[in-house]
Amino acid sequence: QVRDKILTYWSQNETKWVDLERFSALECENEDPELVAKAYDFLSIEGCINVGVMEDEPDFNAQWDAARLLKTAKTLQRWVKAKVWSLIESADLEKTTAKGIRQQLEASYGPNQTQARSELFAALKPFVKAQIESCLAFRSKGATDEGERNEFLRGYLETGGDGG
């Protein structure tokens, strides 16, 4: 329902940038703000809204601040962390590089390559790097105990406002 509201709002004027805060205040004041943000993040990253030449388009160099982005996009944090872990968990550590994992992560988002998505991944690069390093460090310890693995994952997959 929230997703449909966002798509309908954007389709009414596909040349105007949909700003999350403005949209939420106008169209979703009675909706769960976290749900609205998750739907908005998903639609933005997948290239369903805010594509093409836009009026009121933000300056991406100023807007794609990873700390600000991660503070408001817990869905994105969870996706990055879960995907990084799944790639590293099955990887051959002798042949795995951080760059290779990062490339696989970006490729797993599908072929829909947009400038906004490229800029998003560029802004997330330090966050993604930290996640890769964390998972590689755990795997490199050679921990095979299920309890130890579960304890690591419980702490690792938690999301915080600082993106850590």
Side-chain angles (χ1 to χ4, degrees), residues 88 93 96-98 131-141:
I88 289 175
L93 293 182
T96 300
T97 65
Q131 304 318 305
I132 292 170
E133 289 171 354
S134 178
C135 291
L136 284 174
F138 179 77
R139 281 278 324 271
S140 296
K141 288 190 329 186

Side-chain angles (χ1 to χ4, degrees), residues 70 72 78 101 115 163:
L70 292 170
T72 59
R78 288 183 191 107
I101 294 292
Q115 180 179 348

Side-chain angles (χ1 to χ4, degrees), residues 143-158:
T144 57
D145 177 71
E146 189 71 20
E148 195 175 357
R149 178 185 172 278
N150 289 341
E151 184 178 329
F152 168 76
L153 287 175
R154 233 186 329 274
Y156 171 70
L157 292 174
E158 285 183 9

Side-chain angles (χ1 to χ4, degrees), residues 17-120:
W17 185 267
V18 176
D19 176 75
L20 175 59
E21 288 80 20
R22 183 175 46 214
F23 170 76
S24 294
L26 293 173
E27 302 290 327
C28 290
E29 59 188 31
N30 296 325
E31 302 286 348
D32 174 15
E34 188 171 332
L35 178 64
V36 174
K38 286 178 183 180
Y40 178 88
D41 292 341
F42 174 81
L43 293 170
S44 292
I45 292 167
E46 289 298 315
C48 298
I49 60 171
N50 295 338
V51 292
V53 178
M54 313 247 88
E55 294 173 28
D56 303 328
E57 184 171 358
D59 174 7
F60 284 113
N61 293 327
Q63 292 296 315
W64 289 123
D65 169 24
R68 178 178 172 270
L69 179 68
L70 292 170
K71 187 176 282 186
T72 59
K74 290 188 179 185
T75 302
L76 182 59
Q77 274 187 64
R78 288 183 191 107
W79 181 83
V80 167
K81 288 182 170 195
K83 193 65 181 176
V84 165
W85 173 254
S86 72
L87 292 170
I88 289 175
E89 184 177 37
S90 61
D92 177 353
L93 293 182
E94 297 289 322
K95 299 176 183 175
T96 300
T97 65
K99 182 178 181 179
I101 294 292
R102 193 177 67 250
Q103 288 173 339
Q104 288 178 46
L105 175 73
E106 291 182 34
S108 72
Y109 232 74
N112 187 9
Q113 193 64 267
T114 63
Q115 180 179 348
R117 187 175 119 182
S118 296
E119 290 170 352
L120 171 66

